[in-house]
Amino acid sequence: MKKNKGVDTKCVHSGDLIDDRFKGATSPLFPSTAYDFIDVNEDKYPRYFNTPNQLALSKKIADLENSEDALLFGSGIAAIFSSLFSFIKSGDHVIFQSSIYGGTLNLVIKEFKKFNIKYSLVDSFDLKDYKKEIKSNTKIIFIESPSNPLLKLIDLKSIAKLCKKNNLISIIDNTFSSPINQNPSDFGIDIIIHSATKYLGGHSDILAGALASNKKYIQTIKESSINYGGNLSDYTVWLLERSIKTLSLRVAKQNENALKVAKFLFEHQKVNSVNYPGLKSHPDYELSLTQMKGFGGMLSFELNDLDEAIKFTRKIKLIKSAMSLGGVESTICSPTLTSHSKISKEEREKIGIFDGLLRFSVGIEDFEDIKNDLDQALSQL
Ligand SMILES: *Cc1c(COP(=O)(O)O)cnc(C)c1O
């Protein structure tokens, strides 16, 4: 499909596998793990990322991220691991934004030292703090924007420029935005990662990962990843393709609901503060207008303390208290009790995460119903 198709059309049709035999409307599923080896250019095998369903869905994701190519993985973390380890070796150095997904942080802290890979964690969104950390052995800068759970933004164009100038690879975890709200390749970011478990899957029933980049980097990552063995099963590839057909509709509704919810909570007397890039009060509101197409379905808000946060979580009825995000259903969780439970209260407060904070993944239900549920739970505090 040509690049100039609209995003809704790309969601439905990019990478369609045409059913020539039966003329069905959807992509057929080819679950085979064994393929003919005579007269072929490249052996087909699921772990080689080249089965018909994998190639078709990769095309769709590449199109959605305005990138040349993409690869699918068994989880978001498999995509993150594979992208990092395809480029680094013992003695190299990587710069990470410190407010990245907890699982990514865990991977870095637990695994890097086994391979003598150095890293810096930058607790800032300011370009000059990243610049300061660049050393002669630095290979990659890894960022996430908007960040979890405070929804702070980093200037994608400046990070990409800094990387190009210093011959570094820029990687972004774009999970929170989905390809509908943000296309980092438009700003020069090299590798774009998604936990497809979240918005791409969208129904809280698929574990998957994806990454998009140029052909050269995809080739490098593929060659290494064949050895890591983290590809996605073709059955799940097929389900994920079906999910992405409605991605733009789901995300549009989540954007719309989240902005209304953010405004409602902002005005509510029981709520101390709201973090959402679509609110004019958000410090990165202006930046979000330059690099995001939608403000997203994720926000966080602060109640007085952990007791209130727990009480509130017990009182919500329609909204589920659950850890994951990006599903069609609204879910709320406490960062203190989940993603940031392993770091001390003092450390958390230093980065702005207070115990009364709740992270909200806004779903596609009617706004009035979400609002009423929030209202009745808040009124009981
Ligand atoms: C969930 C998540 C991941 C990890 O993805 P898995 O599919 O759970 O492996 C990475 N980054 C972000 C931002 C996430 O939310």
Side-chain angles (χ1 to χ4, degrees):
M1 178 160 307
K2 286 202 208 83
K3 283 260 155 66
N4 58 8
K5 287 282 195 297
V7 71
D8 297 332
T9 309
K10 286 183 188 177
C11 281
V12 180
H13 289 299
S14 271
D16 266 348
L17 266 183
I18 305 297
D19 175 5
D20 286 328
R21 284 171 66 201
F22 305 111
K23 316 287 183 203
T26 67
S27 295
L29 167 59
F30 296 100
S32 215
T33 56
Y35 287 89
D36 190 357
F37 63 92
I38 302 288
D39 299 330
V40 295
N41 293 329
E42 184 189 59
D43 289 328
K44 278 205 182 307
Y45 190 56
R47 184 162 50 75
Y48 299 170
F49 298 91
N50 62 4
T51 56
N53 290 91
Q54 288 184 80
L55 292 176
L57 183 56
S58 296
K59 171 94 179 71
K60 193 192 284 293
I61 289 171
D63 274 2
L64 284 169
E65 278 296 7
N66 297 336
S67 299
E68 289 175 3
D69 207 350
L71 294 171
L72 302 164
F73 293 87
S75 69
I77 284 292
I80 290 166
F81 175 90
S82 303
S83 68
L84 289 168
F85 280 78
S86 297
F87 294 102
I88 50 179
K89 58 179 190 315
S90 170
D92 285 346
H93 173 253
V94 184
I95 300 171
F96 290 91
Q97 179 185 318
S98 65
S99 54
I100 47 176
Y101 176 70
T104 310
L105 209 53
N106 222 29
L107 160 68
V108 173
I109 294 169
K110 296 266 168 64
E111 307 300 329
F112 271 33
K113 61 173 178 277
K114 295 182 193 165
F115 301 96
N116 188 35
I117 296 161
K118 316 288 184 209
Y119 61 89
S120 304
L121 296 175
V122 181
D123 179 20
S124 155
F125 297 82
D126 197 333
L127 192 75
K128 68 177 187 309
D129 295 318
Y130 290 80
K131 210 166 169 177
K132 269 199 315 234
E133 294 297 326
I134 298 175
K135 307 174 201 316
S136 60
N137 56 342
T138 306
K139 291 285 150 63
I140 294 170
I141 295 183
F142 188 106
I143 56 165
E144 201 170 305
S145 181
S147 72
N148 177 30
L150 296 174
L151 287 303
K152 290 187 183 163
L153 269 58
I154 191 161
D155 186 334
L156 303 185
K157 208 184 218 164
S158 308
I159 287 286
K161 224 162 108 187
L162 180 69
C163 286
K164 294 250 155 36
K165 203 167 145 206
N166 291 277
N167 211 14
L168 311 178
I169 298 170
S170 50
I171 305 183
I172 186 169
D173 183 333
N174 203 31
T175 301
F176 265 36
S177 297
S178 89
I180 307 303
N181 286 332
Q182 181 168 276
N183 290 132
S185 67
D186 295 352
F187 303 94
I189 300 287
D190 296 314
I191 299 172
I192 298 121
I193 292 178
H194 287 281
S195 165
T197 312
K198 316 296 166 52
Y199 285 101
L200 299 187
H203 297 72
S204 309
D205 57 5
I206 285 175
L207 188 79
L211 63 82
S213 187
N214 59 37
K215 284 206 163 79
K216 190 180 112 199
Y217 284 152
I218 290 289
Q219 186 56 28
T220 304
I221 297 169
K222 189 160 88 175
E223 278 170 21
S224 288
S225 299
I226 283 171
N227 302 322
Y228 304 151
N231 70 283
L232 187 62
S233 146
D234 278 297
Y235 295 100
T236 315
V237 169
W238 188 89
L239 268 179
L240 184 56
E241 186 202 338
R242 191 179 68 169
S243 295
I244 295 178
K245 289 184 190 215
T246 57
L247 177 68
S248 57
L249 293 181
R250 286 187 275 112
V251 170
K253 176 76 175 176
Q254 281 157 325
N255 288 345
E256 188 190 313
N257 276 351
L259 183 60
K260 289 182 185 165
V261 166
K263 286 180 175 166
F264 168 74
L265 291 172
F266 189 78
E267 296 294 334
H268 205 288
Q269 57 174 24
K270 295 272 174 72
V271 176
N272 296 341
S273 63
V274 180
N275 305 302
Y276 186 63
L279 288 181
K280 292 206 174 75
S281 59
H282 191 287
D284 300 322
Y285 175 71
E286 294 296 329
L287 178 60
S288 77
L289 294 177
T290 68
Q291 64 186 32
M292 297 182 79
K293 300 173 202 183
F295 301 120
M298 299 300 298
L299 60 93
S300 57
F301 60 99
E302 210 181 279
L303 302 176
N304 283 330
D305 49 35
L306 189 59
D307 281 349
E308 263 199 17
I310 292 172
K311 187 164 181 205
F312 172 84
T313 309
R314 293 215 165 101
K315 296 293 178 194
I316 46 177
K317 291 178 184 150
L318 178 77
I319 304 162
K320 292 190 166 74
S321 89
M323 245 179 80
S324 202
L325 62 104
V328 289
E329 59 283 307
S330 289
T331 57
I332 280 183
C333 76
S334 151
T336 293
L337 298 179
T338 59
S339 55
H340 294 72
S341 63
K342 288 189 188 78
I343 58 176
S344 70
K345 184 178 162 87
E346 202 180 29
E347 285 286 317
R348 275 197 304 268
E349 293 189 348
K350 221 171 76 189
I351 54 176
I353 300 170
F354 293 88
D355 283 353
L357 190 76
L358 288 169
R359 191 191 72 184
F360 191 177
S361 169
V362 182
I364 65 168
E365 303 93 338
D366 291 280
F367 166 68
E368 284 298 318
D369 294 327
I370 299 171
K371 186 190 84 175
N372 290 341
D373 195 30
L374 290 168
D375 206 23
Q376 66 79 19
L378 286 168
S379 73
Q380 295 184 65
L381 297 181

